[in-house]
Amino acid sequence: MSLAPAAESDFQPSTQEELSRWLADNSTGPARPVFAVGGGTSTQFGYPSTVAGQTVSTTRLDRVIDYPARDMTVTVEAGITIERLQQLLATERQRLPIDIPEADWATLGGVLATNASGSRRLGLGTMRDAVIGLSAVDAEGRLFKSGGRVVKNVAGYDLCKMLIGSLGTLAVVSQITLKLRPIPERSAILWVPLSAIGEAEPILERLTSSATRPVAIDLLDRRGAELVSAKSRLSLPVNAAVLVVGVEGGVRDTDWQLRTVQDEIRRVQSGESHAVEAGEVDNLWSALTEFPVAIEGPVTFKASLLPSRTVAFVEQSARFGCAIQAHAGSGIVTGHLPGSAETVESAQAIIRPVRQAAEACGGSLVVMRCDDDWKATLNVFGRSTPATDLMRTLKTQLDPRGLLNPRRLFGDM
Amino acid sequence: MHPSTTPADSKITPQVLARLVEIVGVGGILSAREELVVYECDGYTIEKNTPDVVVFPISTAQVVEIVKLCNQHQIPFVPRGAGTSLAGGCLPIGGGVMIALTRMKKILEVNLRDRYAVVEPGLVNVHLTNHLKGTGYHYAPDPSSQGACTIGGNFATNSGGPHTLKYGVTVNHVLGAEMVLPDGRVVEIGGPCEDSPGYDLPGLFVGNEGTFGVCTRITVRLTRDPAAYRTMLGIFNSIQDATQTISNIIGAGIVPAALELMDQGIIEAVEAAFHFGFPLDAAAVLLIEVDGLEVAVDDEARQIIDICNQTGAREVRTANSPKERLLLWKCRKQAFGAIGRLSPSYCTQDGVVPRTKLPEILAFIIAMSEKHAIRIVNVFHAGDGNIHPILLFDERDADQVRRVLAASDAILEKCIELGGSVTGEHGIGVEKINLMNKLFSEIDLAVMAQVRDGYNPSGLCSPRKMLPTAGACGMEHIERSTPGRRAAL
Ligand SMILES: Cc1cc2nc3c(=O)[nH]c(=O)nc-3n(C[C@H](O)[C@H](O)[C@H](O)COP(=O)(O)OP(=O)(O)OC[C@H]3O[C@@H](n4cnc5c(N)ncnc54)[C@H](O)[C@@H]3O)c2cc1C
C-alpha cells in the first residue's frame, strides 16, 4: 500500500521553517489544498479529496533534535521512521512502547496523525500517553507549539491531544517530543487455542481479576489466527479461535506471570496453552503488529467496543468470514472482510450489521481501507454525533478555508 | 438569602435572581455578602473578588438553565469544585454567577468488567477510591488534596499526584465527559469505548481550566490495584545527593510508582505534626514507592536501595507494615498543612524541569533563598521533575512580600531556561497568566485563543483565565501585591 513519497510529492521541506514558509506562500492568493504525507502507509484512510492540490512530504524532516536519554524523553522531527526511532532508542535500552505496522515506512508524524496502536496498548498505552510536546504548522504557515519537553506540564491547552488522530486536517506536525519507557528485560506470550470463540468469554472475565498484569490480550478468530501464525512463520496450533496473552518484565516475574495465567485459565478452560519459545516471541509480536496491514480482502475495519462486548462481536464477524484481531482488554478490533465481498453491496452486507453491534454499545466502526469508490456507501466513519459538531468547530477555527487534507475526515473536515 | 445585598451595578437584577431561585430552589443559592466571602478566592489567595451569586445545581438540566440565563443577560459565570485550586482558577473576575458543582457528587456507574466509572463532577476524588475498596480497582490520579478536591476540578486542571509518575495524570484516565458548553448546549464527548473517531475531544478538554464550559459528568478509567508495595525512605545529608539519586533512578530506567522529596524544613514541620520519627538533622528525605507484582517489587526495591547507597544516602529505611506505609503517605500528603507551624504565610510554587536538571534547580532555589533572604522549603513530585518550592514569609511585611514575588518569578523563569514549564499540575489560572508569553510565542497563544474562541466565543465562561489578553500582560485587572497565605488542608 506504500506510495513512494519521494517521487510523488510536490514539496519536501528539510526544516520546519521551510515547511512554514511554503505553507504561508501557498495560503496567499488562490490557495491550493495541501496533502501532507509521511511514509504513505495510511493514505488510503479517510475520504479522498475531490479537488487537486499539492502533496507535501515530511520524510526529509527526520532529524533527531534532542535525546536526553537519562530524562527518558526524545525530541525528533515528524518524518523520522518508527524503525529508525526505535533503533536509536534501543541503544539506550528505551522504546516508544507502541506496536506500529510497517515501521520501516511509517513516520512518527503519520502515526500521530492516525493514532495507530497495537496489541500492547492495554498495558503500555497509545500515542496520547506518549506525546508530551509538539510543533506544527497550520494552513497559513504559522509554526506553533504545544506542551514541552518535560513529562508533566499543564501550561495552556493540550493541542497535542487535539492533533493525535486528526489525520492532518488541522495542521502539519513537524516536531514531536515523546515520553519513553525502558525496554523490559523480557517479554513472553501465551498462545491459547480455543475450540470455540465463545470459550474466550470466561477466560477474559477471569483475567479482569488476574493476579498477573498482562500488557496484551488479543483474541483471534480462526482466520485471524491463521494469518498471524503464517506471518510469524512459527507453526502455532490454530483452532476455532486463539487467545494471546502477553506479559513483560523481569525474567523471574514474567516466568511467574506465565505460570499464573496458565493456572488461572486452566481453572475455567480445559484445553492446552502454549508458552511461546523465548526465541520466537519477537516474531509473534511482529506478526500481531502487522495484522492490520496483512491485507486479505477488499475492506479492513477498526471497531471500538466495550471490552465485554468483544467476544460476541468477534463471533458475529467470524460468521461473515472475516479475519479478526481483537485487543480484547481494550475493545479495539481490527477485521479484514473476506475476499468474497467482491462488490460494495456484499461488503455493505457485512459492515452494516457489525457496525450496528459496535454502535449499540456506544462504540464505533471505522473503515480503514477500501476502494475509494466504496467509501460513500460504506460510510467510512459511521454515524455522526453531537460531538462531531465540536470537531467541526476546531476545523473551522484552525483551517477555515479547508486547505489541509480537505474532506478526509468525515467527508467534510 | 438576602437579594437586597446585591451591588447596584451588578447584572444580577432582582428578576435574574428570581429566575435563578426558580432554577435551583431557595436552598441552592447564596447571595448575601457575608455568605459570598467564602467564595472570594480559592487556594490562591493573592487576588480576591466575590461573585454576585453562588448557585448549587443538582442536575445537568439546572446547569443548562443557569448557563442560558447568563447568556441571555451577558453575565459572566465560573464553575467551581472544591476551590482548592492554587492558581486562582475559581476567581470570579467581573463577579457574576459562580456555579458550584459540589452537590452533584453521585457515583453513577461502576463497571469493573469494562474498567470504568461514571461520576458527577462534584464527587471528591478520594470518595471514588474509597467506594472501590475491596473491588481490586482504584482511580489512579491522587492529588495531595484528594481528600477535598473534586473529580470535576481534576478534569478541569488535569491534576497529577504522587502516583501519577507511574500511572499518568488525569488526562490518561479520562475516557469521556458530558459538557454544558458556554452557550448552554449539552454535548457528550468520548465515552467508555476507547478511540472514538475524529479529534480527541476528551484529551483537549481535560485541562481547559473551566474555559470550555461546565463539566457535568465524567467517565474515568479504573486501574487494577497493585498486588504489592515496597515503600522506602532514603535519608540524605545533602540535597544535592538526594536530587542526584532521583536523576540516577530515572536514568537507570526504573519508573517507581512514586518518588517524592521532602527537605529539612518540611521534615521539621511534618515531624512536629505527625511524630513519624523523621531524622531532624537530615538535609532531605526521598519517599520512594515501587508497586506491582509480589515477585517483582523486591528486585526493584533492591535496585533502588543500591542506587541510594551509591549516591551517598545516610540510611534507607523500609516501611514494615501497611500502617507504617499509610503514615508515611499521610505525612507527605498533609505536608502543606504542617507548614502553618513554620511561618504566618507561605506561597507554594509549581514548576517543572527535566529530571536530570533537578540538582541544578534545587541549587538555584537555595541561591534565591539566600539572595532574597526568604526561607524556602521543598516538598515535591521529584520523579516527574515537578518542583514545589514553598516560600515562607509574613504577609504583613511589604518588603518580604516583594522579595517573595521576586524569588518566585526568578525560580519559574529558571525552570523555563532549563527547558521546563511554569506549571506541572496547578494550572495557569490567573496566577501565572503573565508567564504564558515567556513560555509560548505569540503564535502559540493565538492558536490556543482560536481554539478557546471556538467554544467560548463570548468569553462569558471563566473570563480572563489561562490566556493573556492580546497586547496586555493579562494582570492589569489585578493589583498583584501580596502572595497570600495558602489555605492548608
Ligand atoms: C494542599 C493542596 C495540595 C494540592 N496538591 C495537588 C497535587 O498533588 N496535584 C495537583 O494536581 N493539584 C494539587 N492541588 C491543587 C488542586 O487541588 C487541584 O488543582 C484540584 O484539581 C482542584 O480541584 P477542585 O475541585 O478544588 O477545583 P476548584 O479549585 O474548585 O477549580 C479548579 C479549576 O477548575 C474549574 N472547575 C472546577 N470544577 C469544574 C467543572 N465541573 N467544570 C468545569 N470547570 C471546573 C474551576 O473553574 C477552576 O478553574 C493541591 C491543592 C492544595 C490546596
Side-chain angles (χ1 to χ4, degrees), chain B residues 96-108:
Chain B
V97 176
M98 179 174 279
I99 305 177
L101 283 309
T102 44
R103 291 189 191 169
M104 291 178 69
K105 55 179 180 191
K106 287 199 281 290
I107 297 172
L108 300 170

Side-chain angles (χ1 to χ4, degrees), chain A residues 152, chain B residues 42-43 78-86 88-91 99 101 121-122 142-146 148-162 179 208-211 213-216 218 332-333 336-337 346 381 386 388 424-427 429 462 465 486-489:
Chain A
K152 202 168 169 195
Chain B
D42 48 30
V78 62
R80 175 178 162 121
T84 66
S85 164
L86 291 172
C90 304
L91 185 75
I99 305 177
L101 283 309
D142 63 337
S144 306
S145 53
Q146 72 184 146
C149 66
T150 65
I151 296 191
N154 299 164
F155 173 94
T157 54
N158 193 15
S159 289
M179 293 294 303
N208 75 77
E209 298 195 18
T211 60
V214 184
C215 170
T216 46
I218 306 155
R332 162 61 187 94
K333 292 200 175 174
F336 286 96
Y346 66 94
H381 310 308
N386 188 187
H388 288 329
E425 53 180 26
H426 295 168
S462 300
K465 297 283 165 59
R486 295 301 157 75
L489 288 181

Side-chain angles (χ1 to χ4, degrees), chain B residues 253-378:
Chain B
I254 304 171
V255 185
L259 176 44
E260 304 276 309
L261 183 145
M262 292 191 267
D263 74 0
Q264 190 166 27
I266 286 287
I267 297 170
E268 206 179 287
V270 165
E271 189 52 29
F274 301 105
H275 313 292
F276 179 80
F278 288 109
L280 293 172
D281 60 335
V285 298
L286 292 181
L287 174 53
I288 312 167
E289 184 159 282
V290 293
D291 71 12
L293 303 168
E294 190 62 57
V295 290
V297 285
D298 281 325
D299 284 351
E300 218 170 286
R302 199 164 315 113
Q303 260 181 296
I304 287 174
I305 293 171
D306 287 348
I307 293 174
C308 287
N309 288 330
Q310 282 155 21
T311 28
R314 179 166 100 191
E315 186 191 343
V316 184
R317 296 186 195 166
T318 321
N320 291 314
S321 65
K323 206 168 138 204
E324 231 176 64
R325 166 175 182 261
L326 285 181
L327 182 57
L328 260 177
W329 277 113
K330 185 172 169 193
C331 294
R332 162 61 187 94
K333 292 200 175 174
Q334 299 192 5
F336 286 96
I339 292 163
R341 295 166 184 269
L342 297 180
S343 85
S345 321
Y346 66 94
C347 168
T348 310
Q349 271 310 338
D350 171 35
V352 197
V353 294
R355 297 174 270 206
T356 47
K357 297 289 191 334
L358 279 172
E360 223 169 304
I361 192 73
L362 263 292
F364 185 81
I365 292 171
I366 293 167
M368 285 305 100
S369 169
E370 282 161 11
K371 178 175 170 195
H372 297 281
I374 289 292
R375 183 163 179 219
I376 304 181
V377 296
N378 291 283

Side-chain angles (χ1 to χ4, degrees), chain B residues 26 31 65 75 91 129 149 163 195 202 234 237 252 272-273 301 325 340 408 439:
Chain B
V26 194
S31 62
E65 290 307 309
I75 301 165
L91 185 75
T129 286
C149 66
H163 290 86
D195 289 13
N237 284 332
R325 166 175 182 261
S408 292
L439 198 56

Side-chain angles (χ1 to χ4, degrees), chain B residues 106-299:
Chain B
K106 287 199 281 290
I107 297 172
L108 300 170
E109 187 188 351
V110 172
N111 182 334
L112 298 179
R113 174 67 176 85
D114 293 318
R115 296 188 296 130
Y116 71 86
V118 184
V119 303
E120 289 187 332
L123 180 71
V124 170
N125 175 300
V126 83
H127 291 179
L128 179 56
T129 286
N130 288 346
H131 181 82
L132 292 166
K133 281 228 168 83
T135 63
Y137 286 80
H138 69 290
Y139 176 57
D142 63 337
S144 306
S145 53
Q146 72 184 146
C149 66
T150 65
I151 296 191
N154 299 164
F155 173 94
T157 54
N158 193 15
S159 289
H163 290 86
T164 50
L165 171 59
K166 177 167 172 181
Y167 291 97
V169 293
T170 299
V171 72
N172 306 109
H173 301 269
V174 168
L175 293 165
E178 176 188 78
M179 293 294 303
V180 176
L181 296 180
D183 62 6
R185 265 182 299 164
V186 183
V187 184
E188 194 80 53
I189 57 175
C193 300
E194 297 182 10
D195 289 13
S196 36
Y199 308 138
D200 178 3
L201 294 173
L204 174 65
F205 274 60
V206 171
N208 75 77
E209 298 195 18
T211 60
F212 290 175
V214 184
C215 170
T216 46
R217 207 189 317 132
I218 306 155
T219 305
V220 296
R221 175 58 82 215
L222 302 178
T223 304
R224 288 294 307 281
D225 292 344
Y229 302 97
R230 293 294 179 272
T231 310
M232 293 152 277
L233 193 68
I235 299 165
F236 293 84
N237 284 332
S238 93
I239 215 160
Q240 290 298 308
D241 286 348
T243 48
Q244 193 55 50
T245 303
I246 297 158
S247 190
N248 290 357
I249 291 173
I250 302 294
I254 304 171
V255 185
L259 176 44
E260 304 276 309
L261 183 145
M262 292 191 267
D263 74 0
Q264 190 166 27
I266 286 287
I267 297 170
E268 206 179 287
V270 165
E271 189 52 29
F274 301 105
H275 313 292
F276 179 80
F278 288 109
L280 293 172
D281 60 335
V285 298
L286 292 181
L287 174 53
I288 312 167
E289 184 159 282
V290 293
D291 71 12
L293 303 168
E294 190 62 57
V295 290
V297 285
D298 281 325
D299 284 351

Side-chain angles (χ1 to χ4, degrees), chain A residues 42 65 236:
Chain A
S42 300
I65 303 296
L236 296 161

